[in-house]
């Protein structure tokens, strides 16, 4: 166990070094700002704000277990040295994190069904569980980009929920930045971000259809 932690710590330090890449600061900024669980929290907030009169309460009970706790868990595992970095670049290291995250996401989903919330928010929470299960299954054989997946979900959902061209432009820019940065930083192959984007787009479309937003 200590050997594994030592190796993870060494690789984490190496991953934090400033490589000889001219666009590294920009790529790192995109990766950090467009962190998957940050974007998940934004999606939950926007859906709650646009559909639920008690949006603040609904945002808290959904975002804390579905986004905040998993983010804190990844940071804790990084500090402990059990994973190489908070985005857990190695597929083999993701299994335990996904299993623990699933419990937290299930808790958030249960809460939004117990406590009065909007139908749209309940669909977001439910699809969060389904998406995580799909990612866990895919992760057995291949690694997909969660950055690309969540950014694609946001690019589909946020413009429709806000009815804003500005949000559309920013969402697409965020998706482009997320996918480019993960490849540029050599954290993913092109196929990883393509698969993540396709799955994210399908999840976003499923929400719009199931929640009746497009009807």
């Amino acid at each position: 166990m200590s050997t594994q932690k030592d190796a993870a710590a060494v690789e984490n330090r190496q991953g934090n070094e400033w490589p000889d890449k001219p666009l590294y600061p920009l790529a790192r900024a995109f990766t950090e700002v467009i962190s998957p669980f940050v974007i998940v929290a934004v999606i939950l907030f926007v859906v709650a704000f646009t559909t639920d009169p008690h949006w603040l309460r609904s945002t808290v009970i959904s975002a804390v277990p579905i986004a905040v706790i998993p983010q804190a868990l990844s940071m804790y595992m990084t500090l402990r040295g059990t994973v190489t970095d908070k985005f857990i670049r190695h597929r083999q290291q993701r299994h335990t994190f996904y299993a623990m995250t699933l419990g937290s996401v299930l808790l958030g989903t249960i809460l939004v069904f117990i406590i009065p919330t909007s139908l749209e928010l309940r669909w977001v929470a439910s699809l969060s569980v389904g998406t995580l299960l799909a990612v866990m299954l895919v992760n057995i054989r291949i690694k997909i980009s969660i950055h690309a997946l969540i950014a694609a979900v946001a690019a589909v959902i946020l413009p429709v929920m806000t009815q804003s061209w500005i949000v559309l432009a920013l969402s697409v820019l965020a998706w482009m930045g997320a996918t480019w940065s993960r490849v540029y930083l050599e954290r993913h192959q092109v196929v990883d971000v393509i698969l993540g984007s396709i799955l994210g787009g399908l999840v976003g479309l499923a929400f719009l259809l199931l929640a009746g937003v497009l009807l």
Side-chain angles (χ1 to χ4, degrees):
M1 179 63 70
S2 60
T3 302
Q4 181 180 358
K5 288 185 177 181
D6 291 342
V10 170
E11 188 162 355
N12 188 32
R13 288 196 298 271
Q14 292 175 342
N16 290 330
E17 292 176 356
W18 199 276
D20 186 20
K21 291 188 173 186
L23 297 180
Y24 177 83
L26 178 62
R28 189 63 183 267
F30 268 117
T31 285
E32 294 294 336
V33 174
I34 313 174
S35 172
F37 289 113
V38 172
I39 301 303
V40 168
V42 171
I43 294 173
L44 291 168
F45 163 74
V46 170
V47 172
F49 184 78
T50 56
T51 63
D52 193 334
H54 303 289
W55 59 270
L56 180 57
R57 180 189 66 189
S58 297
T59 298
V60 172
I61 65 172
S62 61
V64 169
I66 295 177
V68 177
I69 291 178
Q71 178 73 69
L73 176 62
S74 70
M75 296 176 69
Y76 174 75
M77 294 176 70
T78 302
L79 291 174
R80 287 290 304 273
T82 55
V83 297
T84 54
D85 64 290
K86 65 182 179 181
F87 298 127
I88 315 179
R89 76 188 73 161
H90 293 298
R91 179 171 57 86
Q92 294 81 0
Q93 295 178 351
R94 293 184 172 188
H95 300 304
T96 301
F97 171 74
Y98 283 155
M100 297 176 70
T101 296
L102 179 61
S104 186
V105 173
L106 283 171
L107 173 61
T109 303
I110 292 171
L111 287 176
V112 300
F113 276 89
I114 293 177
I115 300 172
T117 56
S118 67
L119 173 65
E120 292 84 352
L121 190 62
R122 289 175 175 175
W123 272 118
V124 171
S126 300
L127 287 170
S128 297
V129 176
T131 302
L132 182 55
L133 288 172
V135 169
M136 292 173 68
L137 182 62
V138 171
N139 189 69
I140 296 175
R141 299 299 301 271
I142 60 176
K143 182 179 74 170
I144 66 174
S145 172
I146 305 303
H147 276 78
L149 190 158
I150 300 301
V153 173
V156 173
I157 292 178
L158 297 185
V160 176
M161 297 305 297
T162 59
Q163 295 292 298
S164 170
W165 288 102
I166 295 177
V167 172
L168 173 61
L170 292 176
S171 298
V172 172
L173 177 62
W175 168 76
M176 293 174 62
T179 54
W180 165 76
S181 67
R182 300 310 285 167
V183 175
Y184 187 82
L185 295 173
E186 299 179 2
R187 298 295 185 262
H188 285 283
Q189 302 295 322
V190 174
V191 66
D192 300 338
V193 298
I194 291 177
L195 290 175
S197 297
I198 292 174
L199 179 56
L202 291 175
V203 171
L205 182 60
F207 164 78
L208 297 180
L209 292 173
L210 292 171
V213 178
L214 292 182
L215 300 180

